[in-house]
Amino acid sequence: MEDASPTLLSRAKEAIGLAGPLTEVASFDHQVTGVAVARDGRRFVNFPRWTDDAPISVAEVMEDGTLKPYPDEKWNSWRNAKANEMPVADYFVCVQSIVPDGHGNLWVLDPGAPGNEKILPGAPKLVKIDLAANAVTKVIPVAEDVALQGTYLNDIRFSPDGKTGYITDSGTRGAIIVVDLESGDGWRALDGHPSTQIDKSVTVAIEGKPLRRPDGRQPDFASDGIAISNDGRTLYYQALTGETLYSIDTSLLDRNVDEDRRGAGVNIVARTHVADGLWMSKAGVLYLTSPTDYSVKRLAEGGVETVLTDRRLRWPDTFSEGSDGTMYLTASHIQDTQWFTPGAPPSIKTQLFSFPPVQ
């Protein structure tokens, strides 16, 4: 693996000035992770079933801040208590992220693992929603030999032509999962490669104190944040429990490429920090969340630099971008959950924020 990304670093260097203040767009009574903004300005969020049975999995955020189940109540009606009665292929089970493909569709990524634990057979899937019709038009199951037991489908980015999806597996065996969105075929790439794995030398800390579960475990998540260059030629990714940003030419993620050749094509872009979400803006700025210090950073010459810091950003999680360039960001409050705060209520307050882009 080699250090390489001169074009991206040059673009980042040209982006002068920092973002303006953070604005709260909406707040929620359950743990939010993903956010998506459609071309027409509509905003959507999702709520995974991690520590409680969230009443909605995917919702449109209305102008008054209320939530409308999206695309309808039926898709959002699955419940843990009725798991044996409800076919997992026809409902959202544990949605982790929602991302527009730039072609009029919203894709819902469902790892199918309530509580971030065991995958329910047949539950991992991609659901395609036509934003104009507000209706599901395609469901792509992720096969058991792709979404392995222990896999957690985390986030997805799309090729510019909308034909290919790239998914990070942040589970026990990190990988990049590639899906042909036309045929539905999928495969694992960089499966077990060092770049997609947890970095055991990294400690996730909040205000200088290691973040631990009651049994002493820290957050251990493999390849998590993901971004794609605007020309679709370069994929960027990073383990959450890690401090290195990697990239690979998307042509090397083709199913027919030998894994040794693919691994040799991985590049180290920068030494970074513990990061959850990544986003490549239309202006060519690569943003990274920084949960350990309540901030948003961007790739810059020689590493990263801070765009904004705000203590309301309790675990900045996922980005999306409006058609006017406004950046949207969720705060998922992972450190405030029952996982890491014994005695915490099952439901916690979380937020959706916006900030102006770096100019």
Side-chain angles (χ1 to χ4, degrees):
M1 297 184 290
E2 299 178 353
D3 292 316
S5 190
T7 303
L8 180 59
L9 289 173
S10 297
R11 287 201 300 268
K13 188 176 181 180
E14 292 168 0
I16 54 177
L18 298 181
L22 195 69
T23 300
E24 182 174 307
V25 175
S27 64
F28 315 108
D29 292 326
H30 295 272
Q31 189 171 26
V32 70
T33 51
V35 56
V37 183
R39 286 181 173 177
D40 62 5
R42 286 188 295 164
R43 297 164 298 192
F44 305 87
V45 290
N46 73 265
F47 305 91
R49 288 192 173 89
W50 281 352
T51 57
D52 68 330
D53 210 359
I56 302 177
S57 288
V58 180
E60 181 173 357
V61 182
M62 310 308 288
E63 287 299 320
D64 62 0
T66 59
L67 298 176
K68 179 181 178 182
Y70 193 79
D72 54 39
E73 291 187 1
K74 179 266 177 184
W75 269 96
N76 285 274
S77 62
W78 193 91
R79 295 292 183 269
N80 295 342
K82 297 182 178 180
N84 295 329
E85 306 170 21
M86 309 181 80
V88 293
D90 301 330
Y91 300 88
F92 300 139
V93 173
C94 180
V95 174
Q96 175 62 24
S97 57
I98 49 174
V99 184
D101 63 4
H103 297 272
N105 306 295
L106 179 70
W107 287 85
V108 178
L109 182 61
D110 185 351
N116 199 359
E117 295 179 349
K118 185 178 180 180
I119 291 175
L120 302 184
K125 57 188 173 291
L126 275 167
V127 180
K128 180 182 181 182
I129 303 173
D130 184 316
L131 285 163
N134 298 315
V136 172
T137 58
K138 190 171 190 177
V139 178
I140 300 177
V142 182
E144 291 183 2
D145 62 347
V146 178
L148 310 172
Q149 198 57 251
T151 285
Y152 193 81
L153 306 177
N154 195 291
D155 206 351
I156 185 169
R157 295 294 180 264
F158 301 98
S159 60
D161 61 9
K163 294 181 179 180
T164 307
Y166 304 97
I167 302 170
T168 45
D169 176 355
S170 63
T172 55
R173 185 178 175 88
I176 303 296
I177 293 172
V178 187
V179 180
D180 182 323
L181 299 175
E182 296 182 326
S183 70
D185 192 25
W187 58 94
R188 296 176 67 84
L190 300 173
D191 185 357
H193 186 272
S195 67
T196 60
Q197 304 307 294
I198 294 165
D199 184 342
K200 293 295 186 181
S201 71
V202 170
T203 297
V204 180
I206 303 293
E207 297 183 345
K209 298 180 180 180
L211 186 61
R212 303 288 187 190
R213 298 191 185 202
D215 62 5
R217 289 180 295 160
Q218 76 158 351
D220 281 333
F221 296 103
S223 52
D224 189 305
I226 187 171
I228 192 167
S229 61
N230 290 320
D231 61 10
R233 295 179 180 177
T234 307
L235 193 74
Y236 302 89
Y237 59 96
Q238 178 172 329
L240 190 156
T241 311
E243 294 180 341
T244 305
L245 177 67
Y246 296 96
S247 72
I248 188 170
D249 190 310
T250 52
S251 66
L252 293 174
L253 296 173
D254 184 274
R255 185 168 202 164
N256 297 316
V257 173
D258 176 83
E259 193 66 25
D260 289 339
R261 180 186 166 208
R262 182 180 291 138
V266 171
N267 298 308
I268 294 174
V269 179
R271 304 298 180 184
T272 56
H273 54 276
V274 171
D276 195 331
L278 306 181
W279 185 266
M280 177 64 74
S281 74
K282 291 186 286 288
V285 177
L286 183 62
Y287 292 96
L288 308 88
T289 69
S290 183
T292 64
D293 63 358
Y294 315 96
S295 72
V296 173
K297 302 184 188 296
R298 67 172 181 180
L299 185 64
E301 192 71 42
V304 295
E305 65 181 16
T306 300
V307 170
L308 63 87
T309 299
D310 192 306
R311 293 187 67 84
R312 292 176 295 169
L313 283 177
R314 292 188 68 81
W315 205 278
D317 197 308
T318 304
F319 294 107
S320 193
E321 183 176 1
S323 58
D324 63 354
T326 297
M327 296 299 301
Y328 291 82
L329 173 64
T330 56
S332 62
H333 290 243
I334 285 178
Q335 67 266 51
D336 300 324
T337 65
Q338 293 175 326
W339 283 352
F340 301 106
T341 303
S347 297
I348 57 174
K349 283 282 188 180
T350 58
Q351 298 89 19
L352 171 64
F353 295 100
S354 68
F355 63 91
V358 172
Q359 300 294 333

